[in-house]
Amino acid sequence: MRVINVVGARPNFMKIAPIMREMQKHGGFDPVLLHTGQHYDDAMSQVFFEDLKIPKPDINLGVGSGTHAQQTAKIMVEFEKILADMRPDLVLVVGDVNSTLACSVVAAKMLVPVAHVEAGLRSFDRTMPEEINRLVTDALSTLLFTTSRDANENLLREGHTPEQIYFVGNVMIDTLLAFAKQAEHSDVLERLHLDSKRYAVLTLHRPGNVDNPSTLSRILNALENLQRHIPIVFPAHPRTSDRFRQFGLSERVASMRNMKVIEPLGYLDFIKLTAHAKLVLTDSGGLQEETTVLGIPCLTLRDNTERPITITEGTNTLVGTNPAVIVSEALKVLNGHGKHGRTPELWDGRAAERIIEILARWNPSQLSTAQAA
Ligand code: UD1
C-alpha cells in the first residue's frame, strides 16, 4: 500500500515518527514522507528529524510562511501535482495545522482516501484556525483515528459512521514514551543553570494570545508577578518573538530578570526541561497532553481546550488570560496543590502499532461503501 504521510509544522513531527517507523517495520507498506515546508527553521523542523530519527522527507514542497490563504493555497497547488504523479492508495495526515487541511482537501477531491490521525478533537471555538482545520479534515477523511473517547462522540455527533472511527490512543505519547529515557541525558538544565523542580516552563504562540497587543500585555503582567516567585524559562516561538518586537514589548520582556527567553528547543531538550519543571504554563495543545503523561501540573492560558481529557483525567487546568487568575493558580501549584492526574486510556506507547494493524487489514472498497452509506 503506497501511503503519503504528510507533515508540515512542529507538532506534526513527533506524531509521524512512530507511524513511519511502524510502516517501515511492517513490510506491507510503501511509505512516502512529504514535508510541506510550513515550518522551515532548523529549530522548528530539522532538529526534530534528528532527535526522533525520522527519515529525511522524500518530498519537500518548501512552501514557507504566508497568510492562511497563501500558505494553504501554495500547499494545495504543489500537493496536487505530487498526487497526480504518485497516485497513492492513501494520504495520511496528522493533527490540525494548515498542512493537514490543505493536503486533505486536495486528496479528497482527487478521490484518494484520507486517514486523519488525532481526529475528532473539538474546542468548539471557531476563532481558532486549528478548529477549522480539524472540522474540514475530519469531514473529508475516510479513516478517523482518535486519541480519546470524547473525540469518537464528537465525530458520531457530526454524522460519521462508527465503521470509520478507530480509538487507537495517542501517537504523540508513543514518541514521548519512546524517547523519555534518552531525553534524561540532555544537559539542558546545566546549560540553562536550572535546578530540577525549581523553575516553570512557558510556551506561548496562539494567535489569540500573541497577535493582540492588549492580550499579550495582560499575559506579561502575570509573568512579571510570577517570576518573582519562581524562575521562568520561555523557549519563544518565532511568531511570538516577532510580536514582542512589533508591539514594542521587547524591553519589557528583557527587564524581567527571572524570566529567560531562549530560542525554541529540540525535542529531547524540551522533554527534559518539561519533565523537571515544577509547573508548565502554555497555550499549546500537545503540551497539555505531554504534561499529563509526565505528571507535571499544566496551566493552559486559554478559555477552552479541544483536549478535555487532560483536565478530567490529567494535570491540566484552564486559566485563561486574566493575570490575577494565572498568578493565583500558579501559586497554588508552587504551594504543593498542583494536580496529579493519571494517564488516559490507551496512551500507552502503542497507538502507531494499532493504526498500522488497522491499515494493513483495511479494504478500501469496503470503506467507500460505508462512507457512501
Ligand atoms: C502552526 C500551527 C499551530 C501549531 C504551531 C506550532 C496552523 C494554522 N498553525 O502555527 O497549530 O500549534 O504551528 O508551532 O497551521 N515562523 C518562522 N519559522 C518557521 C515557522 C514559522 O519564523 O520555521 C514564523 C513566521 O513568521 C510565520 C509565523 O512563525 O509567519 C507563523 O508560522 P505558521 O506556520 O503560519 O503558524 P504557527 O504560528 O507556527
Side-chain angles (χ1 to χ4, degrees):
M1 187 192 298
R2 174 175 281 183
V3 184
I4 298 190
N5 296 292
V6 175
V7 289
R10 183 168 61 179
N12 293 162
F13 306 132
M14 35 289 222
K15 293 171 193 165
I16 217 67
I19 294 173
M20 282 298 294
R21 209 167 35 245
E22 291 300 322
M23 271 189 192
Q24 283 170 330
K25 221 161 77 183
H26 184 277
F29 293 87
D30 169 16
V32 175
L33 184 59
L34 180 139
H35 192 330
T36 64
Q38 177 176 346
H39 284 177
Y40 44 85
D41 286 358
D42 283 354
M44 298 294 287
S45 176
Q46 179 61 27
V47 63
F48 294 89
F49 284 78
E50 287 161 15
D51 277 2
L52 303 175
K53 313 254 175 320
I54 306 171
K56 190 172 173 304
D58 300 288
I59 302 161
N60 193 326
L61 303 182
V63 299
S65 299
T67 65
H68 283 265
Q70 286 165 347
Q71 193 175 56
T72 308
K74 271 197 222 161
I75 299 170
M76 289 177 70
V77 170
E78 294 308 315
F79 191 57
E80 189 178 51
K81 295 179 203 160
I82 302 289
L83 277 196
D85 183 39
M86 298 193 93
R87 301 305 315 176
D89 300 297
L90 183 75
V91 167
L92 183 145
V93 295
V94 296
D96 55 14
V97 303
N98 286 347
S99 302
T100 313
L101 165 91
C103 293
S104 310
V105 173
V106 173
K109 289 209 171 181
M110 292 181 82
L111 307 184
V112 179
V114 176
H116 185 204
V117 174
E118 206 183 81
L121 297 181
R122 296 289 179 269
S123 65
F124 305 101
D125 172 3
R126 292 197 186 184
T127 65
M128 283 179 75
E130 292 81 3
E131 183 74 355
I132 314 268
N133 294 346
R134 290 188 280 262
L135 281 162
V136 175
T137 302
D138 286 341
L140 299 177
S141 293
T142 302
L143 292 167
L144 298 155
F145 294 109
T146 64
T147 52
S148 54
R149 293 187 187 276
D150 57 282
N152 286 41
E153 284 161 26
N154 292 335
L155 292 167
L156 290 171
R157 209 174 38 245
E158 287 170 15
H160 295 281
T161 60
E163 295 76 22
Q164 292 177 270
I165 306 169
Y166 298 90
F167 170 39
V168 289
N170 192 325
V171 286
M172 201 189 56
I173 302 304
D174 290 3
T175 293
L176 178 63
L177 298 177
F179 286 89
K181 254 204 195 133
Q182 199 184 325
E184 272 305 305
H185 297 298
S186 155
D187 61 358
V188 68
L189 301 195
E190 290 80 13
R191 284 186 347 246
L192 297 173
H193 309 292
L194 296 166
D195 295 326
S196 182
K197 299 292 164 193
R198 292 205 176 160
Y199 61 89
V201 172
L202 167 73
T203 81
L204 204 61
H205 74 282
R206 293 268 157 225
N209 280 342
V210 305
D211 286 0
N212 177 325
S214 74
T215 310
L216 189 54
S217 179
R218 277 152 58 82
I219 294 174
L220 291 183
N221 288 345
L223 298 172
E224 268 157 359
N225 186 332
L226 186 60
Q227 52 111 36
R228 295 194 196 108
H229 300 273
I230 187 164
I232 301 174
V233 189
F234 178 16
H237 187 288
R239 173 193 207 101
T240 312
S241 307
D242 280 353
R243 295 299 175 264
F244 287 147
R245 282 189 288 271
Q246 195 183 332
F247 300 151
L249 293 167
S250 304
E251 258 179 48
R252 192 167 155 205
V253 171
S255 72
M256 291 189 221
R257 300 194 48 197
N258 224 4
M259 182 165 85
K260 268 190 225 287
V261 184
I262 58 172
E263 294 293 307
L265 290 171
Y267 186 77
L268 297 171
D269 282 345
F270 189 73
I271 292 302
K272 170 93 184 249
L273 188 72
T274 304
H276 287 262
K278 177 84 180 165
L279 162 71
V280 169
L281 300 121
T282 191
D283 60 8
S284 144
L287 195 46
Q288 297 171 45
E289 298 182 340
E290 287 161 338
T291 46
T292 276
V293 171
L294 292 168
I296 307 297
C298 175
L299 302 184
T300 296
L301 280 65
R302 288 172 45 190
D303 295 323
N304 54 51
T305 178
E306 61 288 340
R307 295 163 158 92
I309 201 166
T310 60
I311 297 179
T312 52
E313 296 188 17
T315 58
N316 190 19
T317 308
L318 289 183
V319 296
T321 54
N322 179 330
V325 178
I326 296 173
V327 172
S328 76
E329 289 295 327
L331 292 182
K332 274 190 212 161
V333 177
L334 300 190
N335 292 328
H337 303 298
K339 281 170 84 170
H340 294 292
R342 61 184 154 99
T343 300
E345 185 183 3
L346 296 189
W347 292 18
D348 58 358
R350 298 191 47 214
E353 259 175 72
R354 294 187 191 97
I355 290 171
I356 297 322
E357 268 168 34
I358 292 161
L359 291 181
R361 278 188 275 118
W362 176 56
N363 175 350
S365 59
Q366 232 174 358
L367 252 141
S368 40
T369 326
Q371 227 188 3

